[in-house]
Amino acid sequence: MLKIKEAIIVEGRYDKNTLSQVVDALILETGGFQVFKQPEKAALFRRVAAERGLIVLTDSDGAGFLIRNHLKGILPPEQVKQAYIPDLPGRERRKRRPGKEGKLGVEGMRPEVLEAALRRAGATILDEDAPAEADRTPVTKADFYAWGLTGGTDSAARRKELLGRLDLPEHLTANAFLEVVNILYTRENFEHFIVEMWKNGC
């Protein structure tokens, strides 16, 4: 499995599921065309791009290129790499019939094809023997539980409030929120923010 520094943007959850079997990286979803009307998602992409860079990996059909071109327009080009999958005819297993253009999407690509696409795009492959970027203690699921962000009756409401205060998309799942926190904040900074927020009765 490739450990990649940059976060990777794909169109949907099936693409994410396929890619997560190939790479160890933060994978973000556009939600298809939803990205066109969700400024908070665009803001998240820009923050992650500034922190560690992004790789755009959309399908090779017309819809995929519409999404890719939209992202090109809202993200700083120097912080974004473009990965392209080949035009291969076929349909994904879960679908009854091929897509409109009859091409396989990211979801239908073999692992070696996805790996080659990311390498061609210039993905930063992190070698396990290479020195770590920083000696940071991550925020964990146990921390989220201790801070009341998971496992409690009002955890969802607390997460929603916190996501709003951090200018992050309100529909991030708890797991996705945790991944984003560990990219955008140090543990100390995030814990301080939590303590101050709860102190003020939020």
Side-chain angles (χ1 to χ4, degrees):
M1 182 171 285
L2 294 179
K3 188 172 185 179
I4 292 178
K5 174 185 176 183
E6 294 88 357
I8 305 171
I9 296 181
V10 296
E11 293 179 44
R13 62 189 177 98
Y14 293 106
D15 300 328
K16 180 176 180 178
N17 290 344
T18 296
L19 190 59
S20 65
Q21 298 172 45
V22 180
V23 301
D24 176 5
L26 173 65
I27 304 173
L28 302 169
E29 303 170 37
T30 68
F33 291 146
Q34 292 178 27
V35 72
F36 294 163
K37 51 190 178 183
Q38 293 182 335
E40 71 278 8
K41 185 166 282 189
L44 170 62
F45 291 167
R46 282 192 287 268
R47 290 173 70 180
V48 174
E51 182 68 26
R52 62 166 52 191
L54 285 173
I55 299 174
V56 176
L57 180 63
T58 60
D59 292 350
S60 60
D61 59 8
F65 272 84
L66 276 176
I67 293 169
R68 185 186 295 274
N69 288 332
H70 174 74
L71 293 172
K72 283 182 179 178
I74 65 172
L75 297 171
E78 67 278 6
Q79 297 171 352
V80 180
K81 298 173 180 178
Q82 303 291 335
Y84 297 92
I85 57 172
D87 282 340
L88 296 176
R91 68 172 176 83
E92 283 78 18
R93 292 181 183 177
R94 67 181 177 87
K95 297 179 180 177
R96 292 186 176 180
R97 56 182 62 88
K100 186 176 180 181
E101 297 178 31
K103 299 176 182 178
L104 286 173
V106 170
E107 172 192 348
M109 291 291 129
R110 297 188 312 276
E112 60 269 24
V113 174
L114 292 173
E115 179 178 335
L118 292 168
R119 288 186 182 277
R120 282 195 304 272
T124 306
I125 312 297
L126 299 176
D127 189 323
E128 290 183 355
D129 296 327
E133 293 178 58
D135 186 14
R136 290 171 59 163
T137 303
V139 176
T140 66
K141 289 184 178 181
D143 293 325
F144 263 33
Y145 181 81
W147 294 330
L149 297 174
T150 56
T153 53
D154 60 347
S155 294
R158 280 190 160 200
R159 282 199 313 275
K160 185 175 180 180
E161 171 72 16
L162 185 55
L163 286 164
R165 288 174 174 266
L166 295 174
D167 295 321
L168 294 171
E170 66 176 52
H171 297 296
L172 279 180
T173 65
N175 285 339
F177 187 17
L178 181 63
E179 289 181 324
V180 169
V181 163
N182 279 313
I183 285 178
L184 298 179
Y185 302 93
T186 64
R187 177 189 174 83
E188 292 74 20
N189 287 344
F190 187 72
E191 187 171 13
H192 177 74
F193 189 91
I194 290 283
V195 170
E196 288 301 312
M197 185 172 169
W198 295 169
K199 188 188 298 182
N200 293 328
C202 301

